[in-house]
């Protein structure tokens, strides 16, 4: 019954209203995620795990049509041109909501960052990534910063440039081997 309600929450076969009420699942992503968070927090969380498994199987199903794999009008209607389509966007929204446990995804990300004691960013990027280099803050001419770290710092009046990485790289934010402490 719970598995049927979870599948219905993402467009599968619709269970009856009593089934939805009995399982605690609704068509609302936030309410469903909050219900699953509570169910999985219980000492005996088998039912919650089964509900989550059924939901994830439906949301991440390989049988769901993907916009990038669809052709012609279907691709254009689903987002087309190789970009994410409706199915991908819907799956991503479900995943974000489930990760946040029914709360806001941005608030969840902020809470996770608050627990991260690392001083280093360490973001690794590939070719054609836009990054920054601040010669005022850097000790090494190879020092690079991702856009997020650069904008979080105060580089007013500094000698910096924005560049497109040719071969890839990594953010050096917080690395005292290549940056001044003041940076």
């Amino acid at each position: 019954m719970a598995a049927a309600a979870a599948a219905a929450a993402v467009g599968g076969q619709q269970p009856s209203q009593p089934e939805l009420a009995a399982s605690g699942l609704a068509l609302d992503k936030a309410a469903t995620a909050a219900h699953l968070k509570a169910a999985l927090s219980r000492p005996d969380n088998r039912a919650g795990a089964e509900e989550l498994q059924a939901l994830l199987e439906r949301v991440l199903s390989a049988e769901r049509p993907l916009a990038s794999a669809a052709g012609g009008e279907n691709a254009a209607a689903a987002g087309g041109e190789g970009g994410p389509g409706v199915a991908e966007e819907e799956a991503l929204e479900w995943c974000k909501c489930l990760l946040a446990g029914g709360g806001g995804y941005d608030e969840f990300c902020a809470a996770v960052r608050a627990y991260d004691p690392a001083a280093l960013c360490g973001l690794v990027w590939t070719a054609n990534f836009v990054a920054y280099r601040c010669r005022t803050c850097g000790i090494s001419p190879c020092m690079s910063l991702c856009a997020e770290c650069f904008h979080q710092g105060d580089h007013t009046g500094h000698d910096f440039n924005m560049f497109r990485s040719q071969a890839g790289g990594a953010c050096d934010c917080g690395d005292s081997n290549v940056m001044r402490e003041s940076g």
Side-chain angles (χ1 to χ4, degrees):
M1 181 169 27
V10 289
Q13 181 181 3
Q14 297 293 322
S16 66
Q17 284 300 88
E19 284 182 77
L20 276 176
S23 70
L25 289 175
L27 296 179
D28 177 43
K29 292 178 186 72
T32 301
H35 164 76
L36 287 169
K37 179 180 178 182
L40 291 166
S41 298
R42 295 185 188 116
D44 181 13
N45 62 9
R46 266 180 281 149
E50 289 172 6
E51 291 176 48
L52 177 60
Q53 182 67 34
L55 179 63
L56 289 174
E57 285 175 3
R58 179 69 182 132
V59 169
L60 304 174
S61 171
E63 295 174 10
R64 289 183 78 182
L66 298 177
S68 56
E73 292 177 20
N74 292 341
E81 303 302 318
V86 175
E88 291 95 336
E89 291 294 333
E90 182 76 3
L92 182 59
E93 287 304 313
W94 269 105
C95 290
K96 286 180 176 181
C97 203
L98 289 169
L99 281 171
Y105 182 71
D106 291 334
E107 292 82 12
F108 169 76
C109 289
V112 169
R113 283 189 198 106
Y115 285 101
D116 184 10
L120 300 175
C121 170
L123 176 74
V124 176
W125 58 77
T126 59
N128 295 319
F129 186 87
V130 175
Y132 291 83
R133 185 166 288 129
C134 181
R135 288 178 279 283
T136 307
C137 295
I139 296 170
S140 166
C142 298
M143 185 276 295
S144 301
L145 297 172
C146 68
E148 184 176 350
C149 289
F150 179 80
H151 291 297
Q152 285 180 359
D154 182 12
H155 297 278
T156 307
H158 288 197
D159 179 17
F160 68 88
N161 69 309
M162 180 173 71
F163 67 96
R164 186 176 302 271
S165 177
Q166 297 296 311
C171 184
D172 293 315
C173 183
D175 187 348
S176 59
N177 292 317
V178 292
M179 288 187 69
R180 291 181 175 76
E181 289 288 326
S182 60

